[in-house]
Amino acid sequence: MTVTIYSLPYELLSSILEEAAFLNSEDIQQYTYGVESTSAPQKAQRILRGHVAPDALRWLSTDAIRCVDTKWHDWACQWTQSRELHSVNQHPSKDVVYRDPYLLLRKTVDLFAKHPSLASSVRRIFFDGYYGIETNAMIFRILKHCDKLDTVSLPWTTLRYGSAEDWSHLLRARNNGTVLLSLELLAVDLKQIQLIDRARQVNSRPLESANVSFGHLERLKLSGSSNLLPIQDDDLITISRTAQLREIHVTGTTAITTKGLMAVCRASRETLRVLEHSPLSDDGFEHPHASPTNGHACEKVVQCSCLNNLAVSLPTFCGDLFLKTSVHWAGEVQIRAAAICGQAGTLRQNPDSQRALFDVLGQARSLVQAQQGKGIELNIEIFIGITFANCLLLPF
């Protein structure tokens, strides 16, 4: 009598086929890096970058088995409907396994160190969620390998924990003729347990170094607010000493007032094209505005001769903002202020405030008409809060 695999008991045959399917599952691709559709029949799904779905893995591991005959095909179909792969440990140990939360950052450091040509291909890079001293040090190690980087988004803590050498290296003009053009600093509130950690209460003050220059930077964006060492007016004032920016964006923060903003406007008045200052909406216009702005804020904005995109919050504003018809403003301009310069009291109770408001609106209309005469479409939106009962005004 000839003995074949078909002569074996079904239980033994099933164990052999299951072991074969398990070995097949180790050899096939475990990850997918694009959009594809691989799954069991009647259950198609789109899989994006990540692990191959368990049901798809079971189906692929039994491809060869299903082709043998009907009996093996039926076994494979039944097995693929099982809930768990054979590779899942049915009796896991209770040992605690540590997973490095910064493993991806460490691997990136090693990858760029071993393959500098790969790092040289990086043009934009974004870091989020790394707020510690150790992780900030790894961020700067990564950035030192990216010698053609033009855009970077960093946690605001890098401005506190980074050294003057780190920042000087990031902002310098490189030997290959490239420079960093855009810098974004993202701030968030930390948990209370993180705030009480004294190791985090460190400020290396790299901006105070004469070797740190923002002269090559074109775009600066400061986004978000933090309860730990936030970026403030003094930081912007220090940056303005070497900056010649084309764009400045300050959004979602109450730590930066017009004092710091106007310092940047004054320093970059011949290059600035985009000016955006949008405080936290929950704070309205009660966010801290330093009164000593070293001059009239309206005049400082108008002095930016190249400015064409404006959305700004000011403590007060007046018609001086719209007097200069040689400005390059275009598109939608947004002006938000608590009151009109030199006026006190509410709009209803103070006739002088009413006349001042009418004058401002008239000057805004004149500027819109002047721009239209040049073939430039301009819309001005004015929001006056608190003393003017939160009015949204459109000159036309």
Side-chain angles (χ1 to χ4, degrees):
M1 178 179 176
T2 304
V3 178
T4 67
I5 193 171
Y6 295 100
S7 304
L8 299 175
Y10 179 80
E11 293 78 10
L12 182 57
L13 176 62
S14 179
S15 297
I16 294 174
L17 296 180
E18 189 173 13
E19 182 67 21
F22 167 67
L23 295 175
N24 288 342
S25 68
E26 290 188 334
D27 293 335
I28 64 178
Q29 181 177 317
Q30 302 284 329
Y31 295 86
T32 175
Y33 293 96
V35 181
E36 60 183 50
S37 179
T38 57
S39 188
Q42 310 301 325
K43 193 179 179 182
Q45 63 179 355
R46 292 169 68 85
I47 302 173
L48 291 174
R49 178 170 164 266
H51 288 278
V52 174
D55 60 335
L57 189 61
R58 284 192 292 269
W59 186 256
L60 294 173
S61 64
T62 58
D63 276 348
I65 296 175
R66 292 196 308 273
C67 296
V68 175
D69 59 21
T70 304
K71 186 176 182 180
W72 287 27
H73 181 278
D74 293 342
W75 177 91
C77 290
Q78 184 180 2
W79 185 78
T80 54
Q81 300 301 317
S82 62
R83 292 186 176 182
E84 297 179 343
L85 277 175
H86 178 70
S87 58
V88 176
N89 188 357
Q90 301 295 331
H91 304 285
S93 67
K94 297 182 179 180
D95 296 334
V96 177
V97 179
Y98 172 76
R99 182 176 181 181
D100 186 356
Y102 309 124
L103 181 61
L104 182 60
L105 206 59
R106 298 183 195 280
K107 285 188 173 182
T108 305
V109 173
D110 295 338
L111 177 65
F112 282 4
K114 293 178 181 178
H115 304 282
S117 60
L118 177 62
S120 295
S121 300
V122 177
R123 299 294 181 270
R124 299 181 179 183
I125 193 165
F126 176 88
F127 296 94
D128 185 30
Y130 303 110
Y131 310 125
I133 297 177
E134 180 186 3
T135 54
N136 278 204
M138 286 190 283
I139 286 174
F140 281 111
R141 287 173 61 188
I142 292 172
L143 294 177
K144 285 183 178 180
H145 293 291
C146 303
D147 57 2
K148 293 183 180 178
L149 190 69
D150 58 48
T151 302
V152 63
S153 295
L154 300 173
W156 86 105
T157 49
T158 55
L159 202 62
R160 303 306 183 207
Y161 302 152
S163 66
E165 180 183 354
D166 292 331
W167 279 98
S168 175
H169 188 276
L170 177 63
L171 298 170
R172 81 194 195 289
R174 309 181 186 108
N175 294 332
N176 56 21
T178 64
V179 294
L180 184 70
L181 299 176
S182 176
L183 170 65
E184 181 175 5
L185 297 173
L186 308 173
V188 298
D189 284 334
L190 299 183
K191 297 179 180 178
Q192 190 62 33
I193 192 172
Q194 295 173 304
L195 294 177
I196 62 177
D197 184 2
R198 291 192 174 184
R200 294 179 180 270
Q201 306 292 332
V202 176
N203 189 353
S204 300
R205 302 185 184 280
L207 299 182
E208 296 180 0
S209 172
N211 296 326
V212 177
S213 173
F214 288 78
H216 299 291
L217 197 68
E218 293 185 356
R219 179 179 180 269
L220 175 63
K221 182 174 182 179
L222 308 177
S223 179
S225 188
S226 177
N227 51 8
L228 175 70
L229 302 172
I231 299 175
Q232 298 178 327
D233 287 336
D234 290 342
D235 299 304
L236 268 185
I237 292 172
T238 304
I239 290 173
S240 68
R241 294 171 183 167
T242 56
Q244 291 290 321
L245 299 174
R246 293 167 63 98
E247 298 183 24
I248 174 70
H249 304 263
V250 181
T251 63
T253 178
T254 58
I256 296 176
T257 72
T258 51
K259 180 179 179 181
L261 193 68
M262 291 303 109
V264 174
C265 289
R266 182 173 61 254
S268 304
R269 59 183 177 273
E270 296 180 358
T271 58
L272 196 63
R273 296 179 181 273
V274 179
L275 173 59
E276 179 185 10
H277 178 220
S278 303
L280 286 174
S281 59
D282 290 342
D283 295 331
F285 295 97
E286 297 184 73
H287 60 282
H289 278 302
S291 53
T293 56
N294 297 326
H296 191 194
C298 298
E299 293 179 356
K300 292 185 182 300
V301 172
V302 175
Q303 287 172 0
C304 298
S305 56
C306 296
L307 194 65
N308 57 26
N309 193 322
L310 178 64
V312 65
S313 295
L314 302 171
T316 60
F317 83 113
C318 64
D320 292 351
L321 200 58
F322 310 111
L323 281 179
K324 196 172 181 180
T325 57
S326 60
V327 296
H328 299 283
W329 297 1
E332 184 171 307
V333 169
Q334 296 180 347
I335 308 295
R336 298 175 293 272
I340 295 178
C341 298
Q343 300 299 321
T346 63
L347 181 62
R348 295 179 180 177
Q349 298 174 352
N350 191 342
D352 292 338
S353 296
Q354 296 176 11
R355 286 191 293 269
L357 177 60
F358 295 151
D359 291 342
V360 168
L361 294 178
Q363 289 161 347
R365 293 189 190 98
S366 298
L367 179 58
V368 171
Q369 291 172 346
Q371 293 298 88
Q372 289 177 345
K374 303 174 187 177
I376 300 174
E377 186 67 25
L378 174 64
N379 297 309
I380 299 178
E381 185 178 283
I382 301 172
F383 185 90
I384 305 179
I386 303 179
T387 56
F388 286 83
N390 295 330
C391 299
L392 176 62
L393 304 172
L394 302 174
F396 284 97

